[in-house]
């Protein structure tokens, strides 16, 4: 049986991708940002997922305003990087997992979650930047990725509650897949930011940090945040945070927060990042035996001590 071993959320600021592509990661401004993901890459190297399900939004790269699906599931064998105006990013082609994706499509649609099936799609920075942050810059991505695009660019986006319930439906789908796959779910976007208008540059660290706290402890409280509250408190593009709730819905109610990073700014955006694992006691019970924690990050989780970096 496939199972979800962790949830990861991260901002997907396009300027981070540009900093990687233009070899600026060692410059002081960017070093601060990338330093916050060093432990995450160590964690990911130990986690070694078989598949990533990556929740992100397309920024008019694959879907123009002529046709914007609320939820779109990438079922193709591969997803080339999109040309966002400067040529495609020099990152590997994303390999999909058509079998698991088709299974998810069948499961969630028959579960009355009418997701759009996409058999051809290019992927933009919303997907490729978090991949870089968690996997670095390899020649090939180390595992298949199933993209799930959520509309947060054209009103109305889905509610946070609907996103959370999509996560629940995805978990049910994954857990009914017969092959023994270890799956990590990414939620991307955010945190607070507004890229145009009189409030351009808005960053609300208090709102962001409370969101991170509740993502771990009380996600159902977050599902009650209305669109206008996101816009008022976190800026027009802060609505991207509903995508983090898909990731959170895919996890159990109780989770262990094993890592958190928050920094301001990157470009004109607050960068937030969190790694959540199923609550250890529940995971042990499910496995029927206690496993020895492996590596520094797992030991940290065992001590229930969250590693947090903020700058
Ligand atoms: Fe975005």
């Amino acid at each position: 049986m496939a199972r979800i071993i962790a949830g990861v959320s991260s901002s997907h600021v396009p300027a981070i991708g540009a900093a990687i592509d233009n070899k600026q990661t060692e410059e002081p401004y960017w070093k601060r940002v990338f330093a916050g993901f060093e432990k995450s890459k160590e964690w990911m190297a130990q986690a070694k997922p078989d598949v990533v399900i990556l929740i992100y939004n397309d920024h008019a790269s694959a879907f123009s305003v002529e046709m914007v699906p609320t939820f779109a599931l990438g079922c193709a064998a591969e997803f080339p990087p999109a040309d966002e105006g400067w040529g495609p990013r020099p990152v590997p082609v994303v390999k999909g997992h058509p079998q698991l994706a088709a299974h998810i499509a069948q499961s969630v649609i028959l579960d009355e979650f009418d997701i759009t099936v996409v058999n051809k799609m290019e992927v933009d920075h919303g997907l490729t930047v978090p991949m870089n942050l968690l996997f670095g810059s390899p020649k090939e991505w180390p595992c298949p990725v199933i993209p799930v695009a959520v509309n947060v660019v054209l009103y109305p986006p889905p509610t946070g509650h609907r996103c959370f319930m999509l996560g629940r439906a995805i978990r049910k789908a994954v857990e009914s897949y017969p092959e023994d796959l270890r799956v990590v779910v990414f939620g991307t976007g955010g945190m607070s930011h507004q890229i145009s208008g009189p409030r351009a540059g808005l960053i609300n660290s208090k709102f962001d940090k409370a969101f991170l706290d509740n993502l771990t402890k009380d996600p159902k409280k977050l599902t009650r945040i209305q669109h206008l509250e996101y816009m008022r408190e976190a800026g027009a593009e802060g609505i991207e945070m509903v995508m983090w709730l898909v990731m959170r819905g895919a996890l159990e109610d109780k989770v262990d927060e094993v890592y958190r990073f928050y920094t301001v700014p990157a470009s004109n955006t607050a960068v937030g990042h969190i790694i959540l694992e199923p609550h250890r006691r529940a995971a042990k019970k499910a496995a029927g035996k206690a496993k020895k924690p492996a590596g520094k990050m797992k030991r940290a989780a065992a001590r229930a001590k969250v590693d947090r970096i903020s700058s």
Side-chain angles (χ1 to χ4, degrees):
M1 184 185 90
R3 64 195 167 96
I4 293 171
I5 60 166
V8 172
S9 274
S10 162
S11 306
H12 60 214
V13 188
I16 292 177
I20 296 168
D21 301 345
N22 296 317
K23 306 195 184 323
Q24 296 168 327
T25 56
E26 291 301 312
E27 292 180 5
Y29 180 90
W30 288 111
K31 202 168 182 172
R32 165 183 53 88
V33 175
F34 289 103
F37 289 86
E38 286 305 315
K39 288 193 175 186
S40 319
K41 285 191 281 188
E42 286 174 25
W43 175 89
M44 188 59 89
Q46 290 181 357
K48 283 192 176 60
D50 297 308
V51 184
V52 162
I53 298 174
L54 199 147
I55 320 299
Y56 75 111
N57 70 288
D58 177 74
H59 303 76
S61 303
F63 309 119
S64 73
V65 289
E66 292 174 359
M67 183 176 59
V68 182
T70 301
F71 297 116
L73 177 70
C75 294
E78 57 181 41
F79 306 92
D83 182 347
E84 299 181 64
W86 298 270
R89 288 195 62 214
V91 292
V93 169
V94 172
K95 305 290 184 188
H97 196 303
Q99 296 85 0
L100 177 57
H103 174 82
I104 292 171
Q106 176 171 308
S107 178
V108 301
I109 291 170
L110 295 182
D111 217 6
E112 302 183 344
F113 229 112
D114 310 319
I115 202 163
T116 301
V117 171
V118 183
N119 290 317
K120 186 177 181 188
M121 182 166 70
E122 295 182 345
V123 289
D124 67 14
H125 70 271
L127 183 143
T128 58
V129 165
M131 288 293 289
N132 284 131
L133 290 172
L134 273 293
F135 291 106
S137 299
K139 281 191 173 172
E140 300 291 336
W141 298 122
C143 66
V145 178
I146 297 175
V148 177
V150 178
N151 168 40
V152 291
V153 298
L154 188 71
Y155 193 82
T159 63
H161 179 256
R162 189 65 172 154
C163 288
F164 187 83
M165 295 311 289
L166 174 61
R168 283 275 188 267
I170 288 173
R171 186 173 85 211
K172 187 175 165 189
V174 167
E175 291 180 348
S176 63
Y177 191 70
E179 192 181 342
D180 188 17
L181 296 175
R182 302 165 74 255
V183 178
V184 170
V185 180
F186 280 42
T188 74
M191 297 197 89
S192 57
H193 64 301
Q194 177 150 340
I195 57 176
S196 60
R199 299 202 309 161
L202 178 145
I203 285 173
N204 185 344
S205 298
K206 192 176 169 191
F207 180 88
D208 290 342
K209 289 177 179 177
F211 190 93
L212 288 167
D213 289 341
N214 284 321
L215 197 69
T216 304
K217 289 186 272 186
D218 190 3
K220 288 190 177 153
K221 186 173 181 183
L222 299 180
T223 67
R224 295 191 285 273
I225 299 176
Q226 302 296 306
H227 289 148
L228 280 175
E229 186 177 349
Y230 278 111
M231 293 184 72
R232 187 180 65 238
E233 299 296 328
E237 280 72 36
I239 191 65
E240 289 187 343
M241 280 189 269
V242 296
M243 295 186 289
W244 294 36
L245 295 177
V246 183
M247 176 281 283
R248 187 62 181 89
L251 301 178
E252 303 286 342
D253 288 346
K254 277 196 165 186
V255 294
D256 291 326
E257 181 180 328
V258 297
Y259 184 60
R260 181 192 292 202
F261 173 58
Y262 184 81
T263 190
V264 173
S267 179
N268 58 357
T269 306
V271 170
H273 167 48
I274 200 164
I275 299 176
L276 304 174
E277 291 181 350
H279 185 50
R280 281 183 57 78
R281 258 188 303 184
K284 277 182 190 174
K285 196 176 169 189
K289 59 181 180 180
K291 280 188 180 174
K292 276 189 180 176
K296 283 181 190 172
M297 295 299 292
K298 298 250 176 164
R299 283 197 291 278
R303 291 195 300 273
K305 183 181 173 186
V306 180
D307 211 345
R308 289 181 182 174
I309 299 177
S310 193
S311 61

